[in-house]
Amino acid sequence: MMYIFGAILIYTAIKTAFSKSEGKKTEDTLSYKLSKKINSTPDLRGAKFLVRENGKMLATPLLLCLIVIELSDIMFAFDSIPAALAISTDIFLVYTSNIFAVMGLRSMYFVIRDVLGNLRFLKYGLGVILMFIGLKMLLSAADICEVSTFASLAVIIIVLAVTVVASLASKNSSP
């Protein structure tokens, strides 16, 4: 499994660092495509997820929103497991940290949403971090090299710090 997760992380690193677009259009996402297959009302109906109309059960936009949020949580959790395994191989620690991360993710999103626009080099830093973790997993699985937890955390913190400083410096030097 470490080979598979390592390869996925390396692929994701390359895709993250070198992708031209800032993300998918809403219409191209799995969540959007699934929501189009669900019969729903065009407007909210109070705090209800489902309503009965003309004998048919319809979803409200509130249910569709909940589905999107939960799919995002699942994708975040799935994507985080290999990264957490690169730091620690204690399965209990990996899964509980993932659960707590997902629980705090929604509240953190609103805090960092506005800041992300200022971090223009963040995708390159994340690409470097994903590449590092993917290589670490592959090297560890092949018994070639073992990178300590301290060294892993140091690399991650240094790359993030350089990314943030470079982004802020380029913002301040722009006219």
Side-chain angles (χ1 to χ4, degrees):
M1 284 307 286
M2 294 297 261
Y3 290 116
I4 293 169
F5 282 146
I8 289 171
L9 285 174
I10 290 172
Y11 170 76
T12 305
I14 293 167
K15 191 174 173 182
T16 299
F18 297 110
S19 69
K20 299 264 189 246
S21 69
E22 290 299 316
K24 289 183 173 182
K25 290 191 288 184
T26 303
E27 296 82 17
D28 295 335
T29 63
L30 175 64
S31 302
Y32 184 84
K33 290 176 183 174
L34 286 175
S35 71
K36 286 299 182 188
K37 295 180 187 272
I38 298 173
N39 292 331
S40 62
T41 64
D43 55 347
L44 291 172
R45 305 287 169 91
K48 294 182 179 179
F49 291 118
L50 298 168
V51 294
R52 187 169 300 278
E53 214 171 78
N54 298 329
K56 287 177 67 176
M57 188 65 79
L58 300 174
T60 66
L62 191 59
L63 179 62
L64 299 178
C65 184
L66 179 66
I67 290 169
V68 169
I69 289 170
E70 294 310 319
L71 284 174
S72 299
D73 285 348
I74 291 168
M75 290 308 298
F76 173 78
F78 177 74
D79 190 46
S80 298
I81 290 172
L85 283 171
I87 302 296
S88 173
T89 54
D90 182 353
I91 300 299
F92 176 75
L93 184 65
V94 169
Y95 285 112
T96 54
S97 67
N98 238 359
I99 290 167
F100 287 123
V102 167
M103 288 173 23
L105 180 65
R106 286 186 212 116
S107 57
M108 285 298 294
Y109 172 77
F110 295 105
V111 173
I112 64 171
R113 177 184 58 190
D114 298 327
V115 176
L116 287 179
N118 297 326
L119 301 177
R120 111 179 200 205
F121 298 119
L122 182 63
K123 75 176 195 170
Y124 302 111
L126 292 177
V128 169
I129 291 170
L130 290 172
M131 180 69 74
F132 168 74
I133 292 172
L135 290 172
K136 177 186 172 199
M137 291 177 80
L138 291 175
L139 293 172
S140 174
D143 287 329
I144 295 173
C145 175
E146 197 68 39
V147 180
S148 72
T149 301
F150 178 77
S152 297
L153 291 174
V155 167
I156 292 167
I157 290 169
I158 290 168
V159 169
L160 285 176
V162 168
T163 300
V164 168
V165 169
S167 295
L168 295 177
S170 76
K171 180 184 174 205
N172 291 338
S173 65
S174 304

